[in-house]
Amino acid sequence: MKRGPELLRLAETVVLPGFEGRTPPDWIRRRLGEGLAGVVLFSRNIATPAQVAGLTAALREENPQVLVGIDEESGEVTRLEAVDGSTRPGNFALGVADDTDLTEEIAADLGRDLAAAGVNLNFAPSADVNSNPDNPVIGLRSFGADPDLVARHTAAWIRGMQSAGVAACAKHFPGHGDTSVDSHHGVPYVAATAEELRDVALRPFRAAVAQGVRTVMTGHLMVGALDAAMPATLSRAILHGLLRDELGFEGVVVTDGIEMAAVSRAYGIGGASALALAAGADAICVGGEHADEATAIAVRDAVVDAVVEGRLDEERLADAARRVCELALWTTSAAHRTSASAHPAEDARTSAGPPIGLAAARRALRVTRRSSATALPLSSPPHVVELAPEMNLAIEKGTPWGVGEPLGKLLPGTSVTRLEAATATGGAIETVLAAAAGRPLVVVVRDAHRHAWQTDALRHLLAGRADAVVVEMGLPGRSDLGAVHIATHGAARVCGQAAAELLAGDPAVT
């Protein structure tokens, strides 16, 4: 097999690169005109919805059928709302509410926003069953730990998203929930047997395929029961034998970020890309960390070299390119169908009450009262201390969360202290207690059960103020902490807003 323009075109089609800037760089424009099928947007490309719409319009000037992907799960993992924080709760909160109609409405609402911004491929939802509560990367991104619950909400989310003409993507196949390693940094190992996988982790993916999900994203996971040698992204047994043959998926298989250490450390970015395509992947997502033309060219050339050297069958590459092009055609036709139809029912629903995201966040709140000494609503502006952990790379650093800021708007005079692992010392906690003297104390934690320093700080704070209110954002832990315990089941800005309303006595919150 020799190099040639057709082989280069096929390799170009299956690469989905990221780029720097809020307007398309020249190299992206040029390569879209030469055959590049799509790109991936990150928060670095996003300022406002209007700006994103302008960016995607510029991309379509070069290729009218361009795929524009984004990792917009809503909740904690948001790109479109990374600056201000998500107006919709994440999957875990939706699982707690357990109303599939609500989940579908949330996804449709988000899908309309994405479509209006010119985005037609969304790398969501997370279909992972959060079997391991200490999982460092999934957590709130999952609908829950019950595979049947996750399956029905995964299907509902896909229905809603694709009703807006935006392709959904079930991830991280074959399931990242029962792991203890973040694949950004290492190789997670799934210890489940093949039978256990089919009973738990694979149920949501079966539901996604049955619902007609357009894409599935691979997880960089070692699944010993299915392939003891290669991670799922590079495993033909998993991508072809399981996903294609057993589950019957006919859409596009897209890799998680190919530069992530779980696959690139051993094989390099280009080598992992070629191996993934040979295993059954159709599109290579790259550019989260290496958003330059040289990396995109290196991936393309590595794919071409693999064909020339006989390590990747040309027919397999052509099949992958065909699937990517068919997805682009579907998004174009779906966008036309969607724009041609109005949504009066949805518009009436959202205008008649609170925004759908806030309504969902309110429904996920759970309150446990252990003492009559602390009553809600609060009698005066409190002092709020927020214990802020370091987040994984899937969550944008600096994305707003917490209760202090929204509570300050409802109860002027509220003061806020934010402590991190390095600053949550005994002296700092004593300073907090002194600042809160004579005032209500609200302690906000986030995934406290996973961070010993938060548990220690919380114990110290409650020893000094048994009447404190504890607001637990993130995965729930112990509800017996504090005179009043409020579990939000999410850490998005809208979850903090719902909790703040409850603390301040907003009559709309029960």
Side-chain angles (χ1 to χ4, degrees):
M1 180 67 200
K2 296 182 178 180
R3 288 175 178 269
E6 176 62 14
L7 182 55
L8 284 169
R9 185 191 66 80
L10 291 175
E12 193 83 61
T13 301
V14 301
V15 182
L16 299 179
F19 57 89
E20 299 282 352
R22 292 173 176 171
T23 58
D26 290 342
W27 70 269
I28 284 287
R29 287 179 176 272
R30 182 181 69 255
R31 293 186 64 191
L32 283 171
E34 295 173 351
L36 188 68
V39 299
V40 180
L41 301 184
F42 296 86
S43 57
R44 63 181 177 236
N45 306 120
I46 296 168
T48 66
Q51 170 265 323
V52 177
L55 185 158
T56 57
L59 295 172
R60 288 188 170 84
E61 289 177 0
E62 309 298 336
N63 179 353
Q65 294 182 346
V66 63
L67 285 170
V68 182
I70 197 169
D71 194 7
E72 180 60 54
E73 299 176 18
S74 76
E76 295 66 37
V77 179
T78 179
R79 308 295 179 242
L80 206 59
E81 298 184 292
V83 173
D84 297 321
S86 181
T87 56
R88 304 171 184 89
N91 286 356
F92 198 85
L94 295 175
V96 169
D98 197 13
D99 179 342
T100 54
D101 289 340
L102 176 63
T103 295
E104 185 174 346
E105 289 171 1
I106 287 284
D109 186 59
L110 174 58
R112 289 190 290 272
D113 281 356
L114 291 173
V119 175
N120 53 17
L121 169 59
N122 188 13
F123 300 129
S126 169
D128 306 295
V129 180
N130 199 52
S131 306
N132 181 359
D134 292 326
N135 191 312
V137 70
I138 301 301
L140 295 172
R141 303 166 68 189
S142 168
F143 290 108
D146 179 341
D148 290 329
L149 179 145
V150 176
R152 62 179 176 265
H153 284 276
T154 293
W157 210 98
I158 291 165
R159 281 197 303 275
M161 180 59 55
Q162 295 190 168
S163 74
V166 177
C169 180
K171 64 184 184 185
H172 306 80
F173 187 81
H176 206 325
D178 193 13
T179 60
S180 58
V181 172
D182 185 341
S183 52
H184 290 91
H185 306 296
V187 184
Y189 186 79
V190 178
T193 65
E195 183 178 357
E196 289 169 340
L197 287 167
R198 288 173 171 82
D199 285 345
V200 179
L202 290 176
R203 286 195 192 185
F205 291 99
R206 289 186 186 278
V209 172
Q211 188 57 55
V213 70
R214 291 286 164 173
T215 69
V216 169
M217 178 175 281
T218 67
H220 302 326
L221 316 165
M222 286 300 300
V223 188
L226 303 178
D227 189 330
M230 301 295 275
T233 297
L234 313 181
S235 169
R236 182 169 175 80
I238 292 174
L239 299 190
H240 184 80
L242 178 60
L243 182 56
R244 293 289 191 208
D245 290 347
E246 183 174 329
L247 270 63
F249 179 62
E250 292 294 333
V252 168
V253 178
V254 60
T255 71
D256 204 347
I258 204 68
E259 64 263 61
M260 291 165 66
V263 291
S264 68
R265 182 175 294 161
Y267 303 102
I269 294 175
S273 299
L275 286 169
L277 290 163
D282 304 304
I284 306 298
C285 180
V286 65
E289 300 173 38
H290 301 279
D292 56 88
E293 184 177 17
T295 299
I297 289 175
V299 170
R300 182 200 66 188
D301 289 351
V303 171
V304 170
D305 289 345
V307 174
V308 171
E309 296 167 9
R311 293 178 286 110
L312 171 61
D313 190 87
E314 185 180 9
E315 290 184 5
R316 168 79 274 273
L317 178 59
D319 176 63
R322 173 187 62 80
R323 291 178 190 273
V324 171
C325 291
E326 288 177 352
L327 175 63
L329 287 172
W330 178 86
T331 62
T332 302
S333 61
H336 288 164
R337 291 195 303 271
T338 302
S339 63
S341 62
H343 299 278
E346 289 87 343
D347 293 341
R349 171 182 48 74
T350 54
S351 63
I356 186 65
L358 179 56
R362 288 171 176 173
R363 288 183 59 180
L365 294 176
R366 297 293 184 269
V367 180
T368 303
R369 292 176 172 85
R370 299 181 59 248
S371 171
S372 60
T374 301
L376 296 181
L378 299 176
S379 58
S380 59
H383 186 82
V384 178
V385 56
E386 297 176 339
L387 306 181
E390 182 178 352
M391 303 312 300
N392 66 66
L393 290 178
I395 300 173
E396 291 294 336
K397 188 174 182 179
T399 300
W401 70 280
V403 172
E405 187 269 338
L407 188 57
K409 294 179 180 179
L410 296 171
L411 292 177
T414 294
S415 55
V416 183
T417 299
R418 179 165 283 195
L419 298 176
E420 299 177 352
T423 58
T425 62
I429 291 171
E430 290 303 322
T431 299
V432 167
L433 291 171
R439 306 173 61 184
L441 176 63
V442 177
V443 184
V444 184
V445 298
R446 183 170 180 174
D447 290 334
H449 71 284
R450 292 189 55 242
H451 302 281
W453 71 268
Q454 284 197 53
T455 302
D456 292 342
L458 183 58
R459 185 183 303 113
H460 193 162
L461 287 163
L462 295 181
R465 287 290 299 269
D467 63 337
V469 176
V470 174
V471 179
E472 188 167 18
M473 306 190 78
L475 286 180
R478 291 175 53 184
S479 62
D480 61 340
L481 298 173
V484 178
H485 179 276
I486 301 172
T488 64
H489 300 101
R493 178 173 67 85
V494 72
C495 300
Q497 181 180 349
E501 292 174 340
L502 181 62
L503 291 165
D506 189 308
V509 183
T510 57

